[in-house]
């Protein structure tokens, strides 16, 4: 497994796990969630940064040469394709959000919902990278 | 859609049993990219293809073969 693929796994799993806990807490809070929970989100972001940093450093220690090497043409192409998929997913989600807003009464997506869409797009991006690396594309 | 085949694996063997890692370092890509090229799963850029040919001292057409599907 290449270094880039390992970092993609770290990104995908850490985001899914840590943000999963955050959104689960939001859902459990239900109507009490109310506005945006900055405290909870700040802890989530800090936890994500720490976990990703620790895991990335660990992977770097085991493959220092690969970690130092710049992305080659295939890495860049895989990243571009993954960004395209993630952007398409995000754009579709936002379009659907606009669609639901046209209902009466309007179904308004709050800040946590928009954050969920963004996190999902990021997870899709990492997932798409992993799939391409696994296929050897 | 056309198919690109290559002789990289054979040429590596003929050039002192060069490893994928050694070839990767010479053409400035990762070992995984060399593997993907050899297996026909990834088509290298023109520049990378020329670099590969230069490593083996062969013209491009003798390293990479393009055939169009009927």
């Amino acid at each position: 497994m290449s270094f880039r693929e390992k970092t993609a796994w770290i990104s995908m799993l850490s985001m899914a796990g840590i943000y999963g806990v955050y959104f689960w807490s939001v859902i459990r809070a239900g109507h009490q969630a109310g506005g945006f929970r900055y405290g909870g989100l700040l802890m989530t972001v800090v936890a994500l940064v720490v976990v990703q940093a620790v895991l990335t450093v660990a992977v770097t220690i085991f493959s220092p040469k690969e970690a130092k090497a710049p992305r080659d043409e295939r890495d860049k192409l895989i990243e571009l394709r993954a960004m395209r998929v993630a952007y398409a997913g995000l754009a579709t989600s936002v379009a659907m959000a606009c669609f639901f807003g046209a209902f009466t009464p309007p179904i308004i997506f709050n800040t946590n919902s928009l954050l969920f869409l963004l996190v999902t797009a990021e997870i899709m991006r990492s997932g798409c990278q992993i799939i391409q690396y696994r296929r050897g594309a | 859609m056309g198919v690109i085949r290559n002789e990289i694996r054979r040429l590596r063997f003929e050039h002192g049993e060069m490893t994928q890692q050694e070839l990767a370092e010479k053409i400035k890509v990762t070992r995984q990219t060399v593997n993907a090229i050899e297996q026909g799963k990834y088509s290298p850029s023109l520049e990378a293809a020329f670099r590969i040919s230069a490593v083996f001292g062969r013209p491009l057409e003798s390293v990479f073969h393009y055939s169009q599907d009927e």
Side-chain angles (χ1 to χ4, degrees), chain B residues 1-69:
Chain B
M1 203 157 173
V3 173
I4 300 176
R5 290 176 293 106
N6 63 76
E7 308 287 336
I8 296 171
R9 193 178 178 87
R10 180 181 61 80
L11 289 167
R12 276 197 301 112
F13 184 77
E14 288 176 2
H15 282 71
E17 296 187 2
M18 188 189 297
T19 62
Q20 288 182 339
Q21 182 61 42
E22 287 169 347
L23 177 60
E25 286 169 11
K26 287 179 190 294
I27 64 172
K28 309 243 185 316
V29 297
T30 62
R31 185 199 65 77
Q32 289 80 7
T33 298
V34 169
N35 187 47
I37 294 171
E38 282 186 9
Q39 292 188 22
K41 292 183 177 178
Y42 172 70
S43 293
S45 66
L46 198 57
E47 187 177 347
F50 272 113
R51 282 202 204 122
I52 293 170
S53 304
V55 166
F56 297 125
R58 299 282 185 97
L60 198 65
E61 299 78 18
S62 70
V63 180
F64 295 93
H65 310 292
Y66 176 75
S67 58
Q68 216 157 7
D69 289 342

Side-chain angles (χ1 to χ4, degrees), chain A residues 26-99:
Chain A
V26 169
I27 290 169
R28 283 186 64 185
H31 67 280
Q32 293 169 338
F36 200 49
R37 302 170 69 194
Y38 283 105
L41 182 62
L42 184 62
M43 278 171 43
T44 300
V45 170
V46 168
L48 185 69
V49 168
V50 168
V51 166
Q52 288 191 347
V54 167
L55 291 176
T56 303
V57 166
V59 166
T60 302
I61 287 170
F62 285 106
S63 349
K65 210 173 170 184
E66 264 197 85
K68 280 183 197 168
R71 291 173 300 148
D72 69 3
E73 57 182 55
R74 181 170 153 262
D75 291 328
K76 289 176 187 172
L77 183 64
I78 285 172
E79 198 172 313
L80 282 171
R81 283 186 191 145
M83 286 290 277
R84 191 171 63 185
V85 167
Y87 177 77
L90 185 60
T92 302
S93 303
V94 170
M96 283 174 60
C98 294
F99 171 75

